[in-house]
Amino acid sequence: MPDSPPKAVVLLSGGLDSATVAAIAKAAGFDVYALSIDYGQRHRFELQSAARVAAAVGVAEHRTVGIDLGSFGGSALTADIDVPQDRSDEEMAGGVPITYVPARNTVMLSLALGWAEVLGAVDLFVGVNAVDYSGYPDCRPEFVEAFERLANLATKAGVDAAAGVTGARPLRVHAPLIKLTKAEIVRRGVELGVDYSLTHTCYSPNENGVPCGRCDACQLRLKGFADAGLTDPVAYSD
């Protein structure tokens, strides 16, 4: 019998970047186990999008895990704080914005790591990006590299690999978008057949889930499609 495809846990938020990463992992030959996190965000539209994307990509399994980062607050995405809108490129490039959720990617990758160990997977995929991003410290290459080192120190799989146990492999954290512009991400996703109409990116949608077109996330997304010479299939309220 042929060998089974390797398993990979992919963090799937329902946004443009994570949808692209799920398609990349699938195209690379992995059985994709998609993990979405209900972390106490102020709206659930992205989680609904994650379910749609998971079905479209054809993942082996999709799970949503709850953890209440909203109980800490400290972010416009989890607390009653206004989401910034209409910021310039210079403003978005300067400092850590109020939409940063403290320790979010650390927590999410830790949950993905736990599931990976149970599945016997050693590959994690995350859609962080250090080019067209809004200053989040947990989207940098240094963070990804540090978490990969931690993963190999903190798990049985990592310890076994370091000890040279037969068949054991070190854990890897894949961040295939980390050095791409948003336009390059969009083009790659289109090549892989990603249906971006299923995704949700906005930080401040209306009550029907229609994106605002004015927050940092919407602006970066719209610029990515424009720079790629394409039209965003999602309708905006403004």
Side-chain angles (χ1 to χ4, degrees):
M1 291 180 62
D3 292 337
S4 299
K7 298 174 181 178
V9 176
V10 178
L11 283 171
L12 185 65
S13 70
L16 182 152
D17 291 344
S18 71
T20 307
V21 167
I24 288 172
K26 183 82 171 180
F30 288 96
D31 270 347
V32 173
Y33 288 76
L35 179 62
S36 302
I37 311 297
D38 181 350
Y39 60 85
Q41 56 267 60
R42 287 166 59 179
H43 66 76
R44 295 295 181 270
F45 300 116
E46 65 179 4
L47 294 172
Q48 296 166 13
S49 291
R52 293 194 294 267
V53 170
V57 170
V59 304
E61 187 176 348
H62 177 219
R63 291 195 185 187
T64 299
V65 172
I67 181 167
D68 190 14
L69 295 180
S71 63
F72 301 139
S75 168
L77 301 190
T78 58
D80 189 17
I81 300 170
D82 289 340
V83 172
Q85 294 185 325
D86 303 320
R87 297 207 304 159
S88 67
D89 292 345
E90 291 74 19
E91 288 173 317
M92 284 191 278
V96 178
I98 194 62
T99 51
Y100 164 67
V101 179
R104 180 176 59 177
N105 284 345
T106 305
V107 171
M108 289 182 173
L109 277 168
S110 296
L111 292 170
L113 179 60
W115 194 21
E117 275 218 281
V118 172
L119 291 169
V122 294
D123 294 277
L124 310 180
F125 281 78
V126 61
V128 295
N129 174 258
V131 180
D132 286 341
Y133 81 118
S134 296
Y136 296 161
D138 54 1
C139 287
R140 298 175 297 160
E142 297 92 333
F143 167 76
V144 175
E145 293 161 6
F147 192 91
E148 184 174 276
R149 291 196 300 273
L150 178 150
N152 280 290
L153 289 170
T155 59
K156 179 180 185 300
V159 170
D160 285 351
V165 173
T166 302
R169 294 185 296 132
L171 288 119
R172 293 188 60 199
V173 180
H174 303 261
L177 312 184
I178 194 104
K179 296 182 180 179
L180 301 185
T181 66
K182 193 67 76 178
E184 289 170 333
I185 293 168
V186 169
R187 291 192 194 102
R188 180 66 177 133
V190 169
E191 289 172 0
L192 294 171
V194 176
D195 183 355
Y196 286 121
S197 72
L198 303 177
T199 64
H200 181 93
T201 299
C202 182
Y203 291 155
S204 187
N206 67 19
E207 64 275 9
N208 296 316
V210 179
C212 68
R214 298 171 59 193
C215 66
D216 291 2
C218 282
Q219 288 194 68
L220 289 170
R221 175 178 173 132
L222 285 164
K223 183 178 184 296
F225 274 96
D227 289 348
L230 299 168
T231 300
D232 190 342
V234 168
Y236 292 80
S237 61
D238 193 342

